[in-house]
Structures are given as structure tokens and as C-alpha cells.
Amino acid sequence: MIIALSGFMGSGKSSVGRELAARLGWKHIDLDSYIEQKMGRTVSGIFGDGGEERFRAIELEALRDVVVMNEVAGGDAVLSLGGGTATLKTARELLQNHTKCVYLQTDLDTIFKRIGTRSRTRPLFNDKYRIEALLDERRPLYESSEYRIRTDGRTPSEIAGEIIATVL
Ligand code: S3P
């Protein structure tokens, strides 16, 4: 089984994913890190070379790799998605059909507290007003996840506990 964590940048997908995998004794895969290893480039580097469209194509292939590898291996894994994975229709279908997908619902204030208002490693996180519009635009896509858990004011450990109680 794959438990996939979706949600906006700064919603805690990576930190909750690490915590959840450790508690369950499952493998943890971070989609951005998987892409960086596979391509030998940073996410920012890929955006810089080919723009967002190129990154999304690579991201979809990476998601396919992870789903197929996990089905072949027959194991259990926690998968921390990128903040934009859910914008791809094919990715949403893959997640619906092959994973238990959890949306880590997070308010904008919390996101700014966790990341600040700019980020060097997140190419889409550099304009406060655009970030707000992007979150509004994506919210319905994240909400297509099977489960939804709020993260505001809660620790990765508390969130991981609620995921275990809800999903398993
Ligand atoms: C993105 C989020 C990033 C990364 C890329 C694009 C997005 O992942 O995949 O910079 O479109 O929201 P995190 O959510 O882990 O920062």
C-alpha cells in the first residue's frame, strides 16, 4: 500500500511523511528528492532549464515510476508528493487508483510561518500575492484526495497519529 501525502508547499508533506514512515516501519519516498536523484538536477535547476511544463512532465513520470516500483515490490510506502503534483489530472487519477491519498489542509498563515514569504529552493514560492491565488486555485484539486487532515497548530507526530487512525 502507498499512503500519499498531498497539499500546498509548507503543509508538512515531507516532515509528516518521514514521521509516518518511521512509525509504521515503511519506506519513505519524497517525490522531489526522487526526481532530483533520477535527473541529477535540483528542482530549481529543472524549472530553470525547461520551465514548469518540463518539470510537470518529469514529475508525472516519477509518480508512475514510484507506483509501478511499489506494485512490483509489493511493499508498503509513504509517498510525500510535491505541492503541484495534484494539478496534473493523470496524477490525480493515479493517486485515486493506486494510493490512499491524504490532503494535509493548511491555512496560508501557517504556510508563511513555516516557509517565510520567499523560498530559494521553491521556484513557485516567491510572490506573496501569487501564492495566495495559487492556493485558492489548487484547493479543489487537493480536496479530490480521499482523506483530509488539518495541520495548523499541530506537530508532525500528532498529524502522523491521526493519519494512522484515519487511513489504516
Ligand atoms: C511545487 C512544490 C514543490 C516542488 C516544486 C513545485 C508546487 O514541492 O515540487 O517546487 O508547484 O507547489 P514542495 O511542496 O515539497 O515544496
Side-chain angles (χ1 to χ4, degrees), residues 7-14 30-32 35 43-44 47 52 55-56 59 80-85 87 115 119 121-125 134 138 142:
F8 205 64
M9 295 170 271
S11 60
K13 300 180 295 293
S14 299
D30 187 285
L31 197 62
D32 283 340
I35 290 169
V43 168
S44 300
F47 265 80
E52 182 172 352
F55 177 75
R56 295 297 170 215
E59 188 174 30
S80 300
L81 300 169
T85 316
T87 62
I115 299 188
S119 167
T121 55
R122 291 174 165 101
L124 294 181
F125 204 97
L134 197 61
R138 289 183 177 176
Y142 296 136

mmCIF file of all heavy atoms in Angstrom, residues 7-14 30-32 35 43-44 47 52 55-56 59 80-85 87 115 119 121-125 134 138 142, ligand 1:
data_model
loop_
_atom_site.group_PDB
_atom_site.id
_atom_site.type_symbol
_atom_site.label_atom_id
_atom_site.label_comp_id
_atom_site.label_asym_id
_atom_site.label_seq_id
_atom_site.Cartn_x
_atom_site.Cartn_y
_atom_site.Cartn_z
ATOM 1 N N GLY A 7 -0.821 18.311 -0.785
ATOM 2 C CA GLY A 7 -1.073 19.600 -0.138
ATOM 3 C C GLY A 7 -0.070 20.631 -0.618
ATOM 4 O O GLY A 7 0.918 20.301 -1.287
ATOM 5 N N PHE A 8 -0.336 21.871 -0.239
ATOM 6 C CA PHE A 8 0.467 23.003 -0.710
ATOM 7 C C PHE A 8 1.878 22.960 -0.127
ATOM 8 O O PHE A 8 2.124 22.266 0.867
ATOM 9 C CB PHE A 8 -0.235 24.304 -0.293
ATOM 10 C CG PHE A 8 0.100 25.485 -1.159
ATOM 11 C CD1 PHE A 8 -0.245 25.503 -2.499
ATOM 12 C CD2 PHE A 8 0.756 26.593 -0.628
ATOM 13 C CE1 PHE A 8 0.053 26.595 -3.303
ATOM 14 C CE2 PHE A 8 1.055 27.701 -1.420
ATOM 15 C CZ PHE A 8 0.701 27.702 -2.766
ATOM 16 N N MET A 9 2.783 23.724 -0.754
ATOM 17 C CA MET A 9 4.126 23.898 -0.180
ATOM 18 C C MET A 9 3.986 24.342 1.278
ATOM 19 O O MET A 9 3.151 25.189 1.582
ATOM 20 C CB MET A 9 4.892 24.987 -0.961
ATOM 21 C CG MET A 9 5.173 24.615 -2.404
ATOM 22 S SD MET A 9 5.805 26.000 -3.398
ATOM 23 C CE MET A 9 4.279 26.732 -4.012
ATOM 24 N N GLY A 10 4.785 23.745 2.157
ATOM 25 C CA GLY A 10 4.732 24.141 3.554
ATOM 26 C C GLY A 10 3.624 23.481 4.353
ATOM 27 O O GLY A 10 3.390 23.821 5.509
ATOM 28 N N SER A 11 2.936 22.507 3.769
ATOM 29 C CA SER A 11 1.861 21.850 4.532
ATOM 30 C C SER A 11 2.402 20.690 5.369
ATOM 31 O O SER A 11 1.657 20.087 6.144
ATOM 32 C CB SER A 11 0.740 21.369 3.601
ATOM 33 O OG SER A 11 1.243 20.459 2.666
ATOM 34 N N GLY A 12 3.691 20.378 5.214
ATOM 35 C CA GLY A 12 4.312 19.358 6.064
ATOM 36 C C GLY A 12 4.390 17.977 5.418
ATOM 37 O O GLY A 12 4.594 16.987 6.115
ATOM 38 N N LYS A 13 4.275 17.921 4.095
ATOM 39 C CA LYS A 13 4.274 16.617 3.420
ATOM 40 C C LYS A 13 5.555 15.818 3.718
ATOM 41 O O LYS A 13 5.484 14.620 3.957
ATOM 42 C CB LYS A 13 4.142 16.801 1.893
ATOM 43 C CG LYS A 13 2.864 17.511 1.477
ATOM 44 C CD LYS A 13 2.772 17.678 -0.031
ATOM 45 C CE LYS A 13 3.823 18.567 -0.646
ATOM 46 N NZ LYS A 13 3.741 19.997 -0.286
ATOM 47 N N SER A 14 6.698 16.504 3.715
ATOM 48 C CA SER A 14 7.967 15.785 3.923
ATOM 49 C C SER A 14 8.166 15.421 5.393
ATOM 50 O O SER A 14 8.491 14.273 5.707
ATOM 51 C CB SER A 14 9.154 16.612 3.424
ATOM 52 O OG SER A 14 9.012 16.843 2.038
ATOM 53 N N ASP A 30 10.243 10.632 -1.048
ATOM 54 C CA ASP A 30 9.891 12.042 -1.252
ATOM 55 C C ASP A 30 9.993 12.295 -2.759
ATOM 56 O O ASP A 30 11.064 12.115 -3.338
ATOM 57 C CB ASP A 30 10.883 12.907 -0.459
ATOM 58 C CG ASP A 30 10.489 14.369 -0.489
ATOM 59 O OD1 ASP A 30 10.690 15.017 -1.533
ATOM 60 O OD2 ASP A 30 9.978 14.849 0.541
ATOM 61 N N LEU A 31 8.877 12.651 -3.384
ATOM 62 C CA LEU A 31 8.857 12.716 -4.851
ATOM 63 C C LEU A 31 9.873 13.721 -5.393
ATOM 64 O O LEU A 31 10.557 13.447 -6.379
ATOM 65 C CB LEU A 31 7.437 13.037 -5.361
ATOM 66 C CG LEU A 31 7.192 12.727 -6.835
ATOM 67 C CD1 LEU A 31 7.366 11.242 -7.152
ATOM 68 C CD2 LEU A 31 5.785 13.172 -7.261
ATOM 69 N N ASP A 32 10.009 14.896 -4.740
ATOM 70 C CA ASP A 32 11.001 15.888 -5.205
ATOM 71 C C ASP A 32 12.422 15.310 -5.131
ATOM 72 O O ASP A 32 13.217 15.485 -6.055
ATOM 73 C CB ASP A 32 10.944 17.169 -4.364
ATOM 74 C CG ASP A 32 9.755 18.056 -4.730
ATOM 75 O OD1 ASP A 32 9.204 17.909 -5.835
ATOM 76 O OD2 ASP A 32 9.384 18.906 -3.898
ATOM 77 N N ILE A 35 12.970 12.780 -7.870
ATOM 78 C CA ILE A 35 13.190 13.459 -9.156
ATOM 79 C C ILE A 35 14.627 13.977 -9.230
ATOM 80 O O ILE A 35 15.314 13.806 -10.233
ATOM 81 C CB ILE A 35 12.179 14.625 -9.316
ATOM 82 C CG1 ILE A 35 10.767 14.080 -9.514
ATOM 83 C CG2 ILE A 35 12.579 15.545 -10.474
ATOM 84 C CD1 ILE A 35 9.658 15.140 -9.415
ATOM 85 N N VAL A 43 15.322 20.588 -8.246
ATOM 86 C CA VAL A 43 14.010 21.019 -8.746
ATOM 87 C C VAL A 43 14.138 22.420 -9.357
ATOM 88 O O VAL A 43 13.663 22.676 -10.465
ATOM 89 C CB VAL A 43 12.960 20.985 -7.605
ATOM 90 C CG1 VAL A 43 11.684 21.689 -8.017
ATOM 91 C CG2 VAL A 43 12.668 19.537 -7.183
ATOM 92 N N SER A 44 14.832 23.329 -8.660
ATOM 93 C CA SER A 44 15.008 24.690 -9.188
ATOM 94 C C SER A 44 15.749 24.663 -10.516
ATOM 95 O O SER A 44 15.422 25.421 -11.435
ATOM 96 C CB SER A 44 15.809 25.557 -8.225
ATOM 97 O OG SER A 44 15.153 25.632 -7.009
ATOM 98 N N PHE A 47 13.340 23.606 -13.243
ATOM 99 C CA PHE A 47 12.463 24.747 -13.573
ATOM 100 C C PHE A 47 13.234 25.771 -14.418
ATOM 101 O O PHE A 47 12.710 26.319 -15.377
ATOM 102 C CB PHE A 47 11.962 25.447 -12.295
ATOM 103 C CG PHE A 47 10.612 24.985 -11.816
ATOM 104 C CD1 PHE A 47 10.478 23.807 -11.101
ATOM 105 C CD2 PHE A 47 9.470 25.738 -12.057
ATOM 106 C CE1 PHE A 47 9.236 23.382 -10.629
ATOM 107 C CE2 PHE A 47 8.224 25.332 -11.594
ATOM 108 C CZ PHE A 47 8.113 24.153 -10.873
ATOM 109 N N GLU A 52 8.102 25.254 -15.893
ATOM 110 C CA GLU A 52 7.192 24.422 -15.109
ATOM 111 C C GLU A 52 6.659 23.245 -15.930
ATOM 112 O O GLU A 52 6.512 22.142 -15.410
ATOM 113 C CB GLU A 52 6.020 25.277 -14.588
ATOM 114 C CG GLU A 52 5.077 24.461 -13.715
ATOM 115 C CD GLU A 52 4.008 25.284 -13.021
ATOM 116 O OE1 GLU A 52 4.063 26.524 -13.078
ATOM 117 O OE2 GLU A 52 3.117 24.653 -12.416
ATOM 118 N N PHE A 55 9.033 20.431 -15.866
ATOM 119 C CA PHE A 55 9.060 19.830 -14.528
ATOM 120 C C PHE A 55 7.840 18.926 -14.323
ATOM 121 O O PHE A 55 7.958 17.826 -13.801
ATOM 122 C CB PHE A 55 9.112 20.911 -13.436
ATOM 123 C CG PHE A 55 9.068 20.316 -12.045
ATOM 124 C CD1 PHE A 55 10.192 19.691 -11.517
ATOM 125 C CD2 PHE A 55 7.897 20.333 -11.297
ATOM 126 C CE1 PHE A 55 10.153 19.098 -10.251
ATOM 127 C CE2 PHE A 55 7.849 19.743 -10.030
ATOM 128 C CZ PHE A 55 8.984 19.134 -9.509
ATOM 129 N N ARG A 56 6.653 19.384 -14.756
ATOM 130 C CA ARG A 56 5.439 18.577 -14.545
ATOM 131 C C ARG A 56 5.509 17.254 -15.298
ATOM 132 O O ARG A 56 5.030 16.233 -14.801
ATOM 133 C CB ARG A 56 4.185 19.342 -14.989
ATOM 134 C CG ARG A 56 3.879 20.589 -14.187
ATOM 135 C CD ARG A 56 3.585 20.334 -12.733
ATOM 136 N NE ARG A 56 3.533 21.594 -11.995
ATOM 137 C CZ ARG A 56 3.944 21.749 -10.752
ATOM 138 N NH1 ARG A 56 4.408 20.728 -10.064
ATOM 139 N NH2 ARG A 56 3.887 22.917 -10.162
ATOM 140 N N GLU A 59 7.699 15.098 -13.319
ATOM 141 C CA GLU A 59 7.025 14.750 -12.063
ATOM 142 C C GLU A 59 6.029 13.605 -12.286
ATOM 143 O O GLU A 59 5.946 12.663 -11.484
ATOM 144 C CB GLU A 59 6.305 15.997 -11.544
ATOM 145 C CG GLU A 59 5.712 15.861 -10.169
ATOM 146 C CD GLU A 59 5.129 17.177 -9.659
ATOM 147 O OE1 GLU A 59 4.667 18.002 -10.484
ATOM 148 O OE2 GLU A 59 5.133 17.375 -8.425
ATOM 149 N N SER A 80 5.647 11.293 -0.081
ATOM 150 C CA SER A 80 5.409 12.737 0.050
ATOM 151 C C SER A 80 5.439 13.332 -1.357
ATOM 152 O O SER A 80 6.478 13.302 -2.026
ATOM 153 C CB SER A 80 6.506 13.377 0.910
ATOM 154 O OG SER A 80 6.518 12.792 2.200
ATOM 155 N N LEU A 81 4.286 13.848 -1.803
ATOM 156 C CA LEU A 81 4.188 14.411 -3.152
ATOM 157 C C LEU A 81 4.780 15.809 -3.179
ATOM 158 O O LEU A 81 5.089 16.387 -2.131
ATOM 159 C CB LEU A 81 2.710 14.468 -3.567
ATOM 160 C CG LEU A 81 1.995 13.116 -3.596
ATOM 161 C CD1 LEU A 81 0.486 13.318 -3.742
ATOM 162 C CD2 LEU A 81 2.512 12.251 -4.748
ATOM 163 N N GLY A 82 4.906 16.398 -4.367
ATOM 164 C CA GLY A 82 5.226 17.814 -4.484
ATOM 165 C C GLY A 82 3.928 18.607 -4.363
ATOM 166 O O GLY A 82 2.833 18.057 -4.558
ATOM 167 N N GLY A 83 4.058 19.897 -4.065
ATOM 168 C CA GLY A 83 2.857 20.724 -3.903
ATOM 169 C C GLY A 83 2.019 20.846 -5.168
ATOM 170 O O GLY A 83 0.835 21.168 -5.108
ATOM 171 N N GLY A 84 2.641 20.582 -6.319
ATOM 172 C CA GLY A 84 1.902 20.744 -7.572
ATOM 173 C C GLY A 84 1.516 19.434 -8.227
ATOM 174 O O GLY A 84 0.892 19.433 -9.295
ATOM 175 N N THR A 85 1.848 18.303 -7.606
ATOM 176 C CA THR A 85 1.545 17.009 -8.242
ATOM 177 C C THR A 85 0.050 16.890 -8.540
ATOM 178 O O THR A 85 -0.347 16.427 -9.616
ATOM 179 C CB THR A 85 1.999 15.829 -7.334
ATOM 180 O OG1 THR A 85 3.293 16.094 -6.804
ATOM 181 C CG2 THR A 85 2.015 14.525 -8.106
ATOM 182 N N THR A 87 -1.991 18.964 -9.452
ATOM 183 C CA THR A 87 -2.529 19.789 -10.543
ATOM 184 C C THR A 87 -2.623 18.991 -11.844
ATOM 185 O O THR A 87 -3.255 19.436 -12.793
ATOM 186 C CB THR A 87 -1.645 21.041 -10.800
ATOM 187 O OG1 THR A 87 -0.337 20.611 -11.206
ATOM 188 C CG2 THR A 87 -1.532 21.899 -9.564
ATOM 189 N N ILE A 115 7.452 28.696 6.037
ATOM 190 C CA ILE A 115 8.400 28.897 4.927
ATOM 191 C C ILE A 115 8.943 30.313 4.869
ATOM 192 O O ILE A 115 10.025 30.549 4.350
ATOM 193 C CB ILE A 115 7.721 28.564 3.572
ATOM 194 C CG1 ILE A 115 7.268 27.102 3.557
ATOM 195 C CG2 ILE A 115 8.659 28.808 2.396
ATOM 196 C CD1 ILE A 115 6.777 26.619 2.213
ATOM 197 N N SER A 119 11.176 31.656 -1.031
ATOM 198 C CA SER A 119 11.991 30.461 -0.825
ATOM 199 C C SER A 119 12.923 30.275 -2.010
ATOM 200 O O SER A 119 12.493 30.307 -3.155
ATOM 201 C CB SER A 119 11.088 29.240 -0.656
ATOM 202 O OG SER A 119 11.844 28.061 -0.763
ATOM 203 N N THR A 121 14.631 27.552 -2.691
ATOM 204 C CA THR A 121 14.563 26.199 -3.261
ATOM 205 C C THR A 121 13.196 25.887 -3.873
ATOM 206 O O THR A 121 13.029 24.852 -4.493
ATOM 207 C CB THR A 121 14.853 25.141 -2.170
ATOM 208 O OG1 THR A 121 13.942 25.366 -1.089
ATOM 209 C CG2 THR A 121 16.275 25.231 -1.669
ATOM 210 N N ARG A 122 12.213 26.779 -3.656
ATOM 211 C CA ARG A 122 10.885 26.529 -4.225
ATOM 212 C C ARG A 122 10.590 27.620 -5.270
ATOM 213 O O ARG A 122 10.168 28.717 -4.905
ATOM 214 C CB ARG A 122 9.823 26.547 -3.129
ATOM 215 C CG ARG A 122 9.918 25.373 -2.159
ATOM 216 C CD ARG A 122 8.925 25.548 -1.036
ATOM 217 N NE ARG A 122 8.694 24.346 -0.274
ATOM 218 C CZ ARG A 122 9.255 24.104 0.917
ATOM 219 N NH1 ARG A 122 10.089 24.965 1.469
ATOM 220 N NH2 ARG A 122 8.971 22.979 1.546
ATOM 221 N N PRO A 123 10.770 27.283 -6.559
ATOM 222 C CA PRO A 123 10.669 28.317 -7.600
ATOM 223 C C PRO A 123 9.318 29.007 -7.670
ATOM 224 O O PRO A 123 9.243 30.151 -8.118
ATOM 225 C CB PRO A 123 10.935 27.549 -8.901
ATOM 226 C CG PRO A 123 11.242 26.150 -8.546
ATOM 227 C CD PRO A 123 11.156 25.963 -7.078
ATOM 228 N N LEU A 124 8.250 28.356 -7.223
ATOM 229 C CA LEU A 124 6.933 28.998 -7.316
ATOM 230 C C LEU A 124 6.570 29.777 -6.058
ATOM 231 O O LEU A 124 5.502 30.353 -5.961
ATOM 232 C CB LEU A 124 5.848 27.949 -7.597
ATOM 233 C CG LEU A 124 5.949 27.251 -8.958
ATOM 234 C CD1 LEU A 124 4.812 26.250 -9.121
ATOM 235 C CD2 LEU A 124 5.889 28.268 -10.089
ATOM 236 N N PHE A 125 7.502 29.785 -5.082
ATOM 237 C CA PHE A 125 7.177 30.415 -3.805
ATOM 238 C C PHE A 125 7.978 31.701 -3.655
ATOM 239 O O PHE A 125 8.919 31.793 -2.883
ATOM 240 C CB PHE A 125 7.521 29.448 -2.660
ATOM 241 C CG PHE A 125 6.744 29.718 -1.397
ATOM 242 C CD1 PHE A 125 5.601 29.001 -1.107
ATOM 243 C CD2 PHE A 125 7.144 30.693 -0.506
ATOM 244 C CE1 PHE A 125 4.873 29.247 0.053
ATOM 245 C CE2 PHE A 125 6.423 30.954 0.655
ATOM 246 C CZ PHE A 125 5.288 30.226 0.923
ATOM 247 N N LEU A 134 -2.555 31.047 -5.973
ATOM 248 C CA LEU A 134 -2.230 29.664 -6.340
ATOM 249 C C LEU A 134 -2.916 28.677 -5.388
ATOM 250 O O LEU A 134 -3.469 27.658 -5.817
ATOM 251 C CB LEU A 134 -0.702 29.489 -6.290
ATOM 252 C CG LEU A 134 -0.089 28.293 -6.987
ATOM 253 C CD1 LEU A 134 -0.385 28.335 -8.483
ATOM 254 C CD2 LEU A 134 1.438 28.283 -6.771
ATOM 255 N N ARG A 138 -5.689 25.884 -6.383
ATOM 256 C CA ARG A 138 -5.419 24.452 -6.203
ATOM 257 C C ARG A 138 -6.316 23.769 -5.183
ATOM 258 O O ARG A 138 -6.405 22.540 -5.174
ATOM 259 C CB ARG A 138 -3.963 24.267 -5.766
ATOM 260 C CG ARG A 138 -2.989 24.549 -6.880
ATOM 261 C CD ARG A 138 -1.613 24.279 -6.370
ATOM 262 N NE ARG A 138 -0.607 24.464 -7.396
ATOM 263 C CZ ARG A 138 0.691 24.361 -7.164
ATOM 264 N NH1 ARG A 138 1.104 24.083 -5.940
ATOM 265 N NH2 ARG A 138 1.561 24.525 -8.128
ATOM 266 N N TYR A 142 -6.673 19.625 -4.445
ATOM 267 C CA TYR A 142 -6.244 18.901 -3.243
ATOM 268 C C TYR A 142 -7.433 18.193 -2.591
ATOM 269 O O TYR A 142 -7.308 17.097 -2.053
ATOM 270 C CB TYR A 142 -5.628 19.861 -2.215
ATOM 271 C CG TYR A 142 -4.362 20.558 -2.650
ATOM 272 C CD1 TYR A 142 -4.180 21.916 -2.400
ATOM 273 C CD2 TYR A 142 -3.331 19.860 -3.275
ATOM 274 C CE1 TYR A 142 -3.015 22.564 -2.764
ATOM 275 C CE2 TYR A 142 -2.162 20.514 -3.655
ATOM 276 C CZ TYR A 142 -2.012 21.869 -3.393
ATOM 277 O OH TYR A 142 -0.861 22.519 -3.749
HETATM 278 C C1 S3P B 1 5.826 22.825 -6.208
HETATM 279 C C2 S3P B 1 6.141 22.375 -4.951
HETATM 280 C C3 S3P B 1 7.468 21.820 -4.597
HETATM 281 C C4 S3P B 1 8.188 21.285 -5.834
HETATM 282 C C5 S3P B 1 8.204 22.313 -6.912
HETATM 283 C C6 S3P B 1 6.792 22.754 -7.340
HETATM 284 C C7 S3P B 1 4.479 23.379 -6.459
HETATM 285 O O1 S3P B 1 7.315 20.794 -3.634
HETATM 286 O O2 S3P B 1 7.602 20.101 -6.309
HETATM 287 O O3 S3P B 1 8.935 23.419 -6.457
HETATM 288 O O4 S3P B 1 4.111 23.538 -7.643
HETATM 289 O O5 S3P B 1 3.734 23.646 -5.488
HETATM 290 P P1 S3P B 1 7.012 21.083 -2.057
HETATM 291 O O6 S3P B 1 5.531 21.207 -1.909
HETATM 292 O O7 S3P B 1 7.560 19.884 -1.378
HETATM 293 O O8 S3P B 1 7.726 22.337 -1.694
#
